[in-house]
Amino acid sequence: MKNKILIIVCALLVITSAVGFYFYNKIFSSAVTKDTTVFITSDSDMDALKDVLNGVVDNYDDFLWVADKKKFKSPKGGMYVLNKGMSLNDLVNLFRSGNQTAVKVAFNNQDTLEKLAGRIAQQIETDSISLLNAFKAPEFLKKNDFTEKSVLGMYIPNQYQFYWNISPESFRDKMLKQYNKFWNKSRLEKAEKLGLTKDQVITLASIVQKETAQISERPKVAGLYLNRYKSKWPLEADPTIIYALREINGQDFIVKRVLFRDIENTKKSPYNTYKNPGLPPSLIAMPDISSIDAVLNPAKHDYYFMCASVDNIGFHEFAKSLSQHNRNAAKYQRWISNQGIKR
């Protein structure tokens, strides 16, 4: 009798151990089949999570079983990096904690808030309309002394880290913090020394940005425009005419060559720097850091005129006198006419 009881006890122990081992493996053994990154939207439920984990875990029913035992109902949205060999227990803990990985968000020079919103929306969860509404929110603009035109200058082109499911308002607010961080004591002192506000520096930098794509040339171009500005000359910057033309004709309007009639057709625009003295009311495009720092650290020279170079394409010929400039301009006009460029 004792032997029979001992056999039964041993059998129960074996069965219990086997069952325990089976469930232990189910919960804690390797389940993720490959290194991968998954994106979980903020409104995802367990059914949506199944699509996300398709081909990533061996058995989604097992995942649901583990989730049920751990009373896990829905994942927190975000971008998650999964490593091969992670267990179902690891996955549940990760999705419950919301311990997501930050994404790198980068943008370069965008001409409008609409284009900026579209660029950002390609890299985070939210859509461009929601971003644009946050960028233009009247209470935000008023509180931080921006307008719908000037706020574009708050977004400094660079690479930043954000959580993928960040809200439009939080994205905007974090960019404001980056803007304030960018305008450190050194930059503020340089702007004050030039007699310019932050907005004025960015406005002039946007002209420099559009005037030359050559980073090495930007301090020289900035110095030229500052010479004109301080001497109370009209800036006569062609990029401002193009900006004014696009305000009239739409952002897709292509201008390869600014003509006298363009200057006349935009004479009522405050952005026409041929007809209006001083700086335009706001930036004409998003300047990058090199253009902003070019204005803050301009090359010192006596140049007041510049013209696109035909000998060094992409750069400019600079002149101190109008007669010298006229010779450079005539050479350029002949060249551009030979290229067949009319507009």
Side-chain angles (χ1 to χ4, degrees):
M1 185 67 178
K2 289 182 179 180
N3 289 337
K4 184 181 289 187
I5 293 173
L6 183 61
I7 291 172
I8 293 173
V9 170
C10 290
L12 288 173
L13 287 173
V14 170
I15 293 171
T16 301
S17 298
V19 171
F21 182 74
Y22 168 77
F23 285 118
Y24 180 88
N25 272 347
K26 195 171 185 178
I27 298 169
F28 296 106
S29 65
S30 173
V32 176
T33 59
K34 59 184 178 181
D35 292 337
T36 190
T37 299
V38 297
F39 295 87
I40 301 175
T41 59
S42 298
D43 59 354
S44 287
D45 56 15
M46 298 303 279
D47 288 335
L49 188 57
K50 180 177 182 180
D51 293 333
V52 173
L53 294 181
N54 182 37
V56 177
V57 298
D58 287 322
N59 190 316
Y60 189 71
D61 288 335
D62 285 349
F63 174 81
L64 289 179
W65 182 85
V66 174
D68 180 66
K69 297 305 176 186
K70 293 176 71 70
K71 302 187 185 313
F72 174 64
K73 302 297 183 183
S74 63
K76 292 185 178 179
M79 183 189 84
Y80 297 90
V81 175
L82 309 184
N83 298 316
K84 182 179 180 180
M86 291 177 70
S87 68
L88 297 178
N89 186 67
D90 293 333
L91 287 183
V92 170
N93 290 342
L94 179 62
F95 297 149
R96 170 183 279 158
S97 70
N99 186 25
Q100 58 176 300
T101 301
V103 298
K104 293 179 180 179
V105 176
F107 57 91
N108 55 6
N109 317 96
Q110 306 296 313
D111 289 347
T112 65
L113 284 175
E114 288 77 9
K115 290 180 180 179
L116 173 64
R119 179 75 182 91
I120 299 304
Q122 295 173 356
Q123 302 173 75
I124 60 177
E125 179 184 16
T126 192
D127 61 275
S128 60
I129 298 299
S130 298
L131 281 166
L132 190 59
N133 288 337
F135 294 167
K136 293 184 175 182
E139 63 276 11
F140 174 82
L141 298 178
K142 183 177 180 180
K143 179 180 177 181
N144 296 287
D145 198 27
F146 289 118
T147 67
E148 285 194 12
K149 296 254 188 193
S150 68
V151 74
L152 182 64
M154 189 190 89
Y155 301 90
I156 308 296
N158 212 330
Q159 180 174 276
Y160 303 92
Q161 286 195 329
F162 295 97
Y163 287 127
W164 179 72
N165 61 334
I166 188 171
S167 72
E169 293 76 18
S170 293
F171 175 84
R172 174 202 65 198
D173 294 345
K174 286 182 180 294
M175 288 307 304
L176 175 62
K177 289 181 179 179
Q178 291 294 328
Y179 169 79
N180 290 329
K181 183 179 179 181
F182 173 82
W183 280 103
N184 54 31
K185 182 180 178 181
S186 174
R187 286 192 173 100
L188 288 172
E189 287 176 347
K190 289 176 180 179
E192 184 178 5
K193 189 174 180 180
L194 291 170
L196 301 175
T197 65
K198 289 186 292 186
D199 281 349
Q200 288 175 320
V201 170
I202 288 177
T203 295
L204 186 52
S206 71
I207 295 174
V208 172
Q209 177 80 33
K210 284 295 186 179
E211 197 67 75
T212 179
Q214 305 298 331
I215 293 176
S216 63
E217 193 181 50
R218 286 174 178 166
K220 197 172 184 179
V221 173
L224 182 148
Y225 279 121
L226 283 167
N227 286 345
R228 291 182 181 178
Y229 179 75
K230 291 175 182 178
S231 298
K232 300 189 183 305
W233 284 27
L235 294 185
E236 296 189 350
D238 284 358
T240 65
I241 302 300
I242 295 173
Y243 179 89
L245 286 169
R246 286 178 176 163
E247 280 206 312
I248 296 170
N249 300 292
Q251 289 300 311
D252 294 330
F253 187 68
I254 297 175
V255 183
K256 294 182 179 179
R257 182 180 185 181
V258 172
L259 306 174
F260 288 117
R261 70 167 182 261
D262 296 326
I263 297 171
E264 286 301 313
N265 290 340
T266 59
K267 64 184 178 182
K268 293 183 179 180
S269 170
Y271 290 88
N272 184 322
T273 55
Y274 280 80
K275 301 295 185 180
N276 298 291
L279 293 165
S282 68
L283 70 167
I284 61 171
M286 181 189 292
D288 63 26
I289 293 174
S290 70
S291 292
I292 297 171
D293 283 343
V295 173
L296 294 173
N297 304 276
K300 294 182 179 180
H301 53 64
D302 296 324
Y303 294 125
Y304 279 79
F305 305 93
M306 67 179 176
C307 177
S309 175
V310 299
D311 299 317
N312 194 7
I313 301 299
F315 288 83
H316 291 79
E317 301 292 345
F318 294 83
K320 298 178 182 179
S321 67
L322 180 59
S323 59
Q324 182 184 2
H325 171 67
N326 285 340
R327 290 193 294 273
N328 292 336
K331 184 177 181 181
Y332 173 71
Q333 292 298 335
R334 287 194 299 272
W335 179 85
I336 201 170
S337 294
N338 290 335
Q339 304 306 308
I341 300 174
K342 298 180 180 180
R343 157 55 72 189

